[in-house]
Amino acid sequence: MKTIGLLILAVFYAVYIGKMMLQKRKGIQTDQIAKGKQKTKVFYIELAMKIATYSVVPAEVFSLFFAPPYLPQAFVAVGVVLGFIGDILFIVSVITMKDSWRAGIAENDKTEIITSGIYSISRNPAFLAFDCVYVGLLLIAFNWILLALSVFAMTMLHLQILQEETFLSKTFGAEYNVYKSKVRRYLGRK
């Protein structure tokens, strides 16, 4: 399971870093997390999210290598499936978002609202992908520290979504609000 868990992580973060590098070549600063912002609620939520998401990765790797098998194989199998679903969701999300994809709220960037493709059934498929990978790896290499860090990271991602919804509503107005009334935050249409 160690190899499969590492593969799930490698694919996910290769896509994340690869997309950032591609956008950097175009002069786009993808990582906007807690950067250039006044010390407001948004800044502190983004900073906590960054700490949470950065700290969970070493815990996942450590757990894959050193945690003894804890959960029954059926749970581990579900974890593998969830992890790969997370990878696929993330790949589709960043491709569909094109150059409007940012990590964090990009207050000074001109981006488009994306409502097609995967975004027609989820307002936040990239965040859903993070959650799938976190839960998947938790089931593959369960331990209590990884559980605590994963829950912390998923909570911070959810708070980030709430901040982004406020920002998108202000930025795109009625167009975003109509979209929000039709598509659920995580998965499904209303």
Side-chain angles (χ1 to χ4, degrees), residues 49-149:
M49 179 189 67
K50 189 174 229 176
I51 292 166
T53 57
Y54 282 22
S55 65
V56 79
V57 177
E60 289 167 334
V61 172
F62 179 85
S63 297
L64 287 167
F65 278 98
F66 300 110
Y70 189 82
L71 296 177
Q73 282 301 106
F75 286 89
V76 174
V78 170
V80 168
V81 171
L82 273 174
F84 282 120
I85 287 171
D87 282 350
I88 292 165
L89 275 172
F90 195 66
I91 291 166
V92 172
S93 297
V94 297
I95 289 171
T96 304
M97 190 63 95
K98 301 176 188 146
D99 285 335
S100 289
W101 182 63
R102 300 291 185 278
I105 295 174
E107 294 170 340
N108 300 317
D109 287 7
K110 178 72 175 141
T111 59
E112 296 177 39
I113 184 170
I114 308 296
T115 60
S116 60
I118 189 81
Y119 290 86
S120 68
I121 58 169
S122 173
R123 293 196 318 259
N124 298 285
F127 287 113
L128 180 59
F130 269 94
D131 289 350
C132 286
V133 168
Y134 289 156
V135 172
L137 287 167
L138 182 62
L139 292 174
I140 292 169
F142 181 87
N143 66 66
W144 296 104
I145 293 170
L146 183 57
L147 173 65
L149 288 171

Side-chain angles (χ1 to χ4, degrees), residues 21-48:
M21 290 171 55
L22 287 172
Q23 286 186 301
K24 186 175 184 172
R25 287 186 191 159
K26 295 178 179 182
I28 299 169
Q29 177 63 40
T30 305
D31 183 1
Q32 301 281 330
I33 303 171
K35 291 185 178 178
K37 295 177 176 68
Q38 305 243 338
K39 305 298 190 257
T40 62
K41 180 181 175 184
V42 171
F43 172 84
Y44 290 110
I45 287 174
E46 285 189 357
L47 183 61

